Amino acid sequence: MNLEELQSVQSRERQASQLQHLRASFYEDVGEYIGGLRAERNEVAAASDNPFDDPEVERLSDEIQTAEGTVESIYE
């Protein structure tokens, strides 16, 4: 699972007139993906002198936020 896959699912869902079939483990996979991003962000933040100004922490935070918004959009 990655952000590209999530955005692809979202795109197909928006283009289709009917609900699209998702694999049974889709939401579990999404949870693991976002959990992994959070763990990685926490590790990077812990190793940073200034985690609030660290570009990698910011990138991971943005990816988490985008993934969560995309999943919410798919669900709705």
Side-chain angles (χ1 to χ4, degrees):
M1 176 66 57
N2 59 38
L3 190 54
E4 287 180 23
E5 183 179 350
L6 283 174
Q7 290 173 333
S8 176
V9 169
Q10 180 187 35
S11 178
R12 285 192 314 265
E13 185 69 29
R14 285 183 174 173
Q15 293 174 1
S17 61
Q18 298 179 21
L19 291 176
Q20 299 300 297
H21 176 72
L22 299 174
R23 66 181 178 269
S25 65
F26 177 79
Y27 289 105
E28 182 179 340
D29 294 345
V30 168
E32 289 175 8
Y33 165 62
I34 293 174
L37 288 174
R38 286 186 178 142
E40 182 179 355
R41 179 184 62 187
N42 290 343
E43 289 176 17
V44 171
S48 176
D49 293 334
N50 184 0
F52 297 104
D53 197 34
D54 188 296
E56 183 65 7
V57 172
E58 187 174 325
R59 183 194 69 77
L60 289 164
S61 294
D62 289 346
E63 188 169 344
I64 291 166
Q65 185 175 10
T66 301
E68 289 173 338
T70 304
V71 170
E72 184 177 327
S73 176
I74 292 168
Y75 180 79
E76 290 177 351

